[in-house]
C-alpha cells in the first residue's frame, strides 16, 4: 500500500505520503479510510473539522442540519472502529514522544506531562480515571513521581483546555456573529422571518459559507431577539410620547376631577390634534383611559389637599370665634353679670351689639345660647363645690346663718377654711345663705298670719262690711294679732273685707238666679191655665 501519516512542522496538520509513488496529500487516501469514513461517503451527512477548535462536526446536505454529535445511524460503526482507531493514535503519539522519564526540576516534569497529554489527545471530556487508563503506559507518565502531583497537573491541563476552548469558540462566535449580522442587515426580513427562509436566501453566499453551521441558528435567534427588544423600546418610546401628548391635551381641554370618562373620551376623539397625528390616533384606548384616570386622580388629590387646608383654616377661624365668645362669657361671669340665676334675655340685651357675639351668629357647632348655658353650668358647679366646703366649715365650727352680722363677719369667722376659695363664689354662697334664711323667716311669719286669718273668719261676733279698720282691730282680741305691726294688720283687714265682698256678691247672684227661676215657673203655669 505504501501510505504513511506524518505531521507538518509549520502547521501541525497531518498529511499522507506514499513511499512507492512519492505522492503526498492532505486528503486521506481511500486505502486508509475507516469504515465510518466510507459509510459517510454514501450518506447525506458530511464530516468537517472546525478550523478554530479542531473539533469535528457533521452537516446534513438534505435537511441542512448541523450537529457536533455523531448521527445516530453511525453509532454501531463508530463502536466497532473504536479500538482500531485508538491503537492507531497510540502508535502515532508514541512515535513522536521522547523516551525521557526523569527531569532535573518539577517544572520540566510538568511540561513533559502536559506534552504527553497533548500527544495522547486529552480533551475536556476526560476524567482522572480515563487519564490513568490511556496514559499509564506512556514513558512520560512517571515524570511526576507522586499521584497527587499527576492529578494536580491533569486538572490544571484540563482547566487550561477548557479556557482555551471557550476563548476560541467565543472568538469564532464573535466573528461569525459580525459576518451574519452584516448579511442579515442586507436582507428584507422582519421579526417573523424564519431561520429556514434566511438559510435559503444566503446558502449561495460565500461569506455565509464561512460561518460555522452550528453558530448560524443561535446567532440568528439572538439577532431577532435584539430586533424584538429594539421594537419594544421603540413602542415604549412612542407610547410614552403619546401619554405625554394625552396629558397635555387633557390640560388643554381643562378636564377637572369632576369629568366623566364618557364625556372626556368624546372631547379627545373630536379634537383636531388627535385625528391629525397617526401615532396619536392609533393609541390603545386603554392607555388613554389610564392616563385620564391618572390625570383625574392627581387633580382630585390636589383638590382634596386644597379643600383639607381650607377646612383646617375654617375650623381654626371657627375656634378663634368660639374662644372670643368664651372670653366674653368669662368677663360677664367675673363681673357678676352672668350668674346661676341670669336670664338669657338679659344677657342678650346687654351684649347683642358686641362683636364677639355677632361673630358667633351662624358659626358651626355650639350656638351662643348653648355656650351661655355651659358657662352657667360651670358657675353652678363651682358654686356648689364652694357651698359644700363652706357648709363643712360651718358645721365644724357649729355656726348657723343667724350667727353672722354681715359678710365681713362671715369671712372673719371662716377665714382659715375659706382662704383658698374663690372670693367671688364665697360671696355668692353667703348671699344665697342669707336669702334662704330670710325666706324661711318670711315663710314662718306667713304661716302665723294665715292662722290668725283663719281665727278671724270664725270668731264671734263676726266682722262685717260695715266695720271700719278701727272697729276691726277692736273686735280681734287674739294675742298674736296684737304682736303684728300696723301694715300686717291692714293686710289682714283687706283680706277679710275682700272675702266678705266676694261672699255678698255670690249671695246676690244666687238670689237673682232664684228670682229668675221663679218668674219662669210662674209664667209657665199661667200658660197652662190659659
Amino acid at each position: 500500500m505504501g501510505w504513511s501519516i506524518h505531521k507538518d512542522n509549520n502547521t501541525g496538520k497531518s498529511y499522507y505520503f506514499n513511499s512507492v509513488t512519492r505522492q503526498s496529500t492532505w486528503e486521506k487516501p481511500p486505502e486508509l479510510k475507516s469504515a465510518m469514513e466510507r459509510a459517510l461517503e454514501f450518506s447525506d451527512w458530511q464530516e468537517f473539522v472546525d478550523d478554530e477548535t479542531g473539533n469535528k462536526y457533521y452537516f446534513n446536505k438534505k435537511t441542512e442540519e448541523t450537529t457536533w454529535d455523531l448521527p445516530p445511524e453511525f453509532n454501531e460503526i463508530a463502536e466497532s472502529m473504536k479500538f482500531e482507531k485508538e491503537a492507531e493514535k497510540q502508535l502515532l503519539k508514541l512515535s513522536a514522544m521522547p523516551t525521557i522519564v526523569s527531569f532535573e526540576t518539577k517544572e520540566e516534569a510538568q511540561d513533559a506531562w502536559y506534552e504527553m497529554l497533548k500527544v495522547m489527545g486529552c480533551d475536556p471530556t476526560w476524567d482522572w480515571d480515563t487519564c490513568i487508563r490511556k496514559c499509564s503506559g506512556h514513558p512520560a507518565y512517571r515524570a511526576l513521581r507522586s499521584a497527587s502531583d499527576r492529578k494536580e497537573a491533569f486538572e490544571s491541563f484540563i482547566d487550561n483546555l477548557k479556557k482555551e476552548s471557550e476563548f476560541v469558540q467565543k472568538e469564532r462566535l464573535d466573528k461569525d456573529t459580525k459576518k451574519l449580522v452584516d448579511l442579515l442587515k442586507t436582507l428584507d426580513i422582519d421579526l417573523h422571518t424564519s431561520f429556514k427562509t434566511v438559510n435559503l436566501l444566503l446558502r449561495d453566499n460565500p461569506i455565509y459559507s464561512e460561518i460555522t453551521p452550528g453558530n448560524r441558528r443561535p446567532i440568528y435567534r439572538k439577532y431577532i431577539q435584539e430586533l424584538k427588544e429594539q421594537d419594544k423600546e421603540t413602542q415604549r418610546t412612542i407610547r410614552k410620547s403619546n401619554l405625554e401628548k394625552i396629558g397635555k391635551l387633557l390640560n388643554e381641554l381643562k378636564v377637572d376631577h369632576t369629568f366623566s370618562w364618557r364625556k372626556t373620551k368624546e372631547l379627545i376623539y373630536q379634537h383636531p390634534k388627535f385625528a391629525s397625528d397617526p401615532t396619536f390616533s392609533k393609541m390603545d384606548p386603554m392607555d388613554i383611559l389610564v392616563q385620564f384616570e391618572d390625570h383625574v386622580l392627581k387633580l382630585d388629590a390636589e383638590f382634596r389637599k386644597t379643600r383639607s387646608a381650607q377646612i383646617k383654616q375654617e375650623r381654626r377661624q371657627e375656634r378663634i370665634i368660639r374662644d372670643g365668645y368664651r372670653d366674653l362669657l368669662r368677663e360677664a361671669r367675673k363681673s357678676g353679670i352672668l350668674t346661676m340665676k341670669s336670664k338669657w334675655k338679659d344677657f342678650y340685651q346687654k351684649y347683642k351689639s358686641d362683636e364677639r357675639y355677632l361673630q358667633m351668629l351662624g358659626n358651626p357647632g355650639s350656638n351662643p345660647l348653648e355656650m351661655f348655658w355651659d358657662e352657667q353650668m360651670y358657675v353652678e358647679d363651682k358654686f356648689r363645690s364652694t357651698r359644700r366646703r363652706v357648709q363643712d366649715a360651718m358645721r365644724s365650727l357649729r355656726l348657723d346663718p343667724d350667727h353672722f352680722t354681715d359678710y365681713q363677719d362671715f369671712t372673719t369667722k371662716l377665714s382659715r377654711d375659706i382662704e383658698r376659695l374663690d372670693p367671688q363664689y364665697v360671696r355668692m354662697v353667703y348671699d344665697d345663705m342669707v336669702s334662704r334664711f330670710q325666706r324661711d323667716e318670711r315663710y314662718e311669719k306667713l304661716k302665723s298670719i294665715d292662722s290668725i286669718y283663719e281665727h278671724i273668719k270664725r270668731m264671734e261676733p263676726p266682722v262685717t262690711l260695715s266695720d271700719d279698720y278701727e272697729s276691726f282691730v277692736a273686735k280681734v282680741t287674739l294675742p298674736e294679732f296684737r304682736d303684728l305691726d300696723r301694715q300686717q294688720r291692714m293686710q289682714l283687714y283687706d283680706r277679710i273685707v275682700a272675702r266678705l265682698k266676694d261672699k255678698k256678691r255670690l249671695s246676690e247672684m244666687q238670689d237673682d238666679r232664684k228670682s229668675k227661676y221663679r218668674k219662669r215657673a210662674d209664667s209657665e203655669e199661667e200658660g197652662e191655665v190659659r
Side-chain angles (χ1 to χ4, degrees):
M1 188 169 56
W3 288 101
S4 60
I5 185 170
H6 302 273
K7 276 190 176 290
D8 186 2
N9 294 329
N10 294 326
T11 62
K13 293 184 178 181
S14 298
Y15 68 95
Y16 302 89
F17 176 74
N18 192 313
S19 59
V20 177
T21 62
R22 311 299 294 177
Q23 179 186 358
S24 63
T25 179
W26 294 105
E27 299 293 334
K28 194 172 187 179
E31 294 86 348
L32 297 180
K33 287 185 178 180
S34 64
M36 173 65 71
E37 293 169 333
R38 289 193 294 271
L40 286 170
E41 289 180 351
F42 300 98
S43 171
D44 292 331
W45 290 96
Q46 291 179 319
E47 184 182 69
F48 297 92
V49 177
D50 186 80
D51 295 337
E52 302 290 339
T53 64
N55 296 328
K56 291 182 179 181
Y57 66 90
Y58 301 88
F59 176 73
N60 192 307
K61 295 181 291 184
K62 187 176 182 179
T63 63
E64 297 185 351
E65 181 182 358
T66 304
T67 177
W68 293 100
D69 300 325
L70 184 67
E73 55 263 40
F74 300 107
N75 286 335
E76 293 182 2
I77 299 174
E79 193 66 29
S80 64
M81 293 175 58
K82 184 175 182 182
F83 296 102
E84 178 185 347
K85 190 175 182 180
E86 187 67 27
E88 183 181 350
K89 284 185 178 180
Q90 291 286 355
L91 290 172
L92 180 62
K93 292 170 184 176
L94 287 173
S95 64
M97 280 295 297
T99 58
I100 299 175
V101 293
S102 64
F103 300 91
E104 293 182 2
T105 64
K106 186 176 180 181
E107 287 75 15
E108 293 178 352
Q110 285 180 342
D111 293 340
W113 232 80
Y114 292 155
E115 188 65 26
M116 176 197 70
L117 291 174
K118 291 179 182 178
V119 171
M120 297 303 293
C122 180
D123 60 50
T125 62
W126 279 29
D127 57 14
W128 177 236
D129 291 338
T130 304
C131 178
I132 294 174
R133 187 173 64 253
K134 292 187 177 183
C135 301
S136 58
H138 195 281
Y141 181 76
R142 287 174 176 75
L144 293 173
R145 300 300 179 182
S146 66
S148 60
D149 290 343
R150 296 169 192 160
K151 187 173 183 180
E152 182 180 353
F154 168 75
E155 291 175 350
S156 175
F157 182 81
I158 291 296
D159 288 341
N160 290 333
L161 281 181
K162 289 180 178 179
K163 291 177 181 178
E164 290 176 3
S165 177
E166 290 174 359
F167 176 77
V168 170
Q169 289 180 6
K170 183 178 183 303
E171 190 176 30
R172 180 64 179 175
L173 180 62
D174 292 342
K175 292 180 180 179
D176 290 347
T177 300
K178 186 177 183 308
K179 292 177 181 178
L180 185 55
V181 168
D182 291 341
L183 291 174
L184 291 173
K185 289 180 178 179
T186 63
L187 301 178
D188 185 15
I189 61 175
D190 57 26
L191 299 177
H192 306 290
T193 305
S194 66
F195 173 72
K196 185 175 181 180
T197 303
V198 172
N199 196 43
L200 289 173
L201 293 172
L202 297 175
R203 64 182 177 180
D204 297 329
N205 191 302
I207 298 177
Y208 186 70
S209 61
E210 295 175 2
I211 300 172
T212 306
N215 289 339
R216 293 170 183 172
R217 188 183 294 271
I219 293 172
Y220 178 73
R221 288 177 179 172
K222 184 178 179 182
Y223 177 76
I224 292 298
Q225 185 62 33
E226 289 176 355
L227 288 181
K228 289 180 179 179
E229 293 296 330
Q230 291 175 5
D231 183 67
K232 287 181 180 178
E233 183 62 28
T234 302
Q235 293 299 325
R236 280 195 291 267
T237 303
I238 294 174
R239 181 174 179 270
K240 182 178 179 181
S241 174
N242 286 339
L243 290 176
E244 291 176 356
K245 291 178 183 178
I246 284 291
K248 293 179 180 178
L249 184 57
L250 292 173
N251 289 329
E252 288 182 19
L253 295 173
K254 296 182 180 180
V255 175
D256 60 28
H257 66 285
T258 62
F259 274 48
S260 66
W261 165 239
R262 178 178 296 179
K263 178 181 178 181
T264 307
K265 183 179 178 182
E266 292 178 356
L267 292 174
I268 292 173
Y269 280 93
Q270 293 172 3
H271 199 278
K273 286 186 178 180
F274 188 84
S276 61
D277 191 336
T279 59
F280 203 18
S281 59
K282 292 178 182 178
M283 190 175 178
D284 188 351
M286 286 301 298
D287 287 341
I288 300 176
L289 174 60
V290 170
Q291 188 68 8
F292 164 74
E293 290 178 343
D294 292 343
H295 179 80
V296 170
L297 288 174
K298 181 181 178 181
L299 292 179
D300 185 66
E302 292 176 356
F303 171 78
R304 290 177 182 276
K305 184 178 179 181
T306 304
R307 181 56 183 158
S308 177
Q310 182 181 354
I311 291 174
K312 286 182 180 179
Q313 182 61 28
E314 291 176 356
R315 296 288 184 269
R316 182 174 178 275
Q317 188 61 31
E318 292 167 5
R319 188 165 55 253
I320 292 173
I321 292 173
R322 282 194 297 271
D323 291 343
Y325 184 66
R326 286 195 184 97
D327 292 339
L328 174 63
L329 293 172
R330 292 191 190 101
E331 291 174 7
R333 170 170 54 82
K334 291 180 180 180
S335 62
I337 297 173
L338 196 159
T339 64
M340 294 185 300
K341 298 179 181 180
S342 297
K343 301 296 182 181
W344 166 250
K345 62 179 181 179
D346 299 329
F347 179 85
Y348 169 73
Q349 289 296 330
K350 183 171 182 60
Y351 294 104
K352 63 181 180 180
S353 300
D354 193 289
E355 185 64 25
R356 291 170 289 183
Y357 169 76
L358 294 174
Q359 288 180 346
M360 271 297 294
L361 300 178
N363 197 51
S366 300
N367 57 44
L369 177 59
E370 291 171 342
M371 295 181 69
F372 171 80
W373 289 338
D374 291 342
E375 195 67 24
Q376 271 196 325
M377 289 179 63
Y378 171 80
V379 172
E380 184 174 357
D381 292 341
K382 195 75 180 291
F383 167 79
R384 291 180 183 279
S385 173
T386 305
R387 186 177 63 181
R388 193 161 44 249
R389 296 281 297 276
V390 169
Q391 289 175 344
D392 291 342
M394 290 176 62
R395 277 193 292 271
S396 64
L397 297 174
R398 296 182 180 180
L399 297 175
D400 290 327
D402 56 346
H403 292 167
F404 308 112
T405 56
D406 54 17
Y407 178 69
Q408 184 66 33
D409 183 45
F410 171 78
T411 54
T412 301
K413 291 180 179 179
L414 297 177
S415 59
R416 185 177 298 177
D417 298 289
I418 65 174
E419 60 183 354
R420 295 184 179 180
L421 300 179
D422 191 335
Q424 180 183 2
Y425 291 94
V426 172
R427 180 71 189 193
M428 290 172 62
V429 169
Y430 174 77
D431 293 341
D432 179 73
M433 181 177 62
V434 171
S435 175
R436 287 174 179 272
F437 181 74
Q438 292 175 350
R439 186 174 65 247
D440 292 342
E441 284 187 337
R442 288 196 302 272
Y443 178 72
E444 291 298 329
K445 288 181 180 181
L446 288 175
K447 284 178 63 178
S448 175
I449 292 173
D450 288 340
S451 61
I452 295 171
Y453 173 75
E454 292 297 328
H455 175 75
I456 294 173
K457 281 165 50 178
R458 296 188 297 272
M459 75 176 186
E460 293 293 339
V463 178
T464 63
L465 287 171
S466 59
D467 294 331
D468 56 9
Y469 173 72
E470 298 300 333
S471 301
F472 168 74
V473 172
K475 283 185 176 182
V476 180
T477 60
L478 192 66
E480 290 81 355
F481 181 76
R482 301 298 178 184
D483 295 335
L484 299 177
D485 57 28
R486 178 176 176 80
Q487 183 179 1
Q488 292 171 339
R489 291 177 183 177
M490 285 292 294
Q491 290 176 354
L492 277 175
Y493 173 73
D494 292 338
R495 287 179 64 185
I496 291 295
V497 170
R499 177 177 175 276
L500 292 175
K501 287 181 178 179
D502 290 339
K503 286 181 67 176
K504 181 179 179 182
R505 186 168 55 256
L506 180 60
S507 176
E508 290 176 351
M509 289 174 61
Q510 289 177 349
D511 292 342
D512 186 54
R513 191 179 296 112
K514 288 179 181 179
S515 174
K516 290 180 179 179
Y517 176 75
R518 283 196 298 269
K519 289 180 179 179
R520 188 182 299 111
D522 293 341
S523 62
E524 288 177 355
E525 289 180 0
E526 291 178 0
E528 290 177 358
V529 172
R530 291 178 182 176

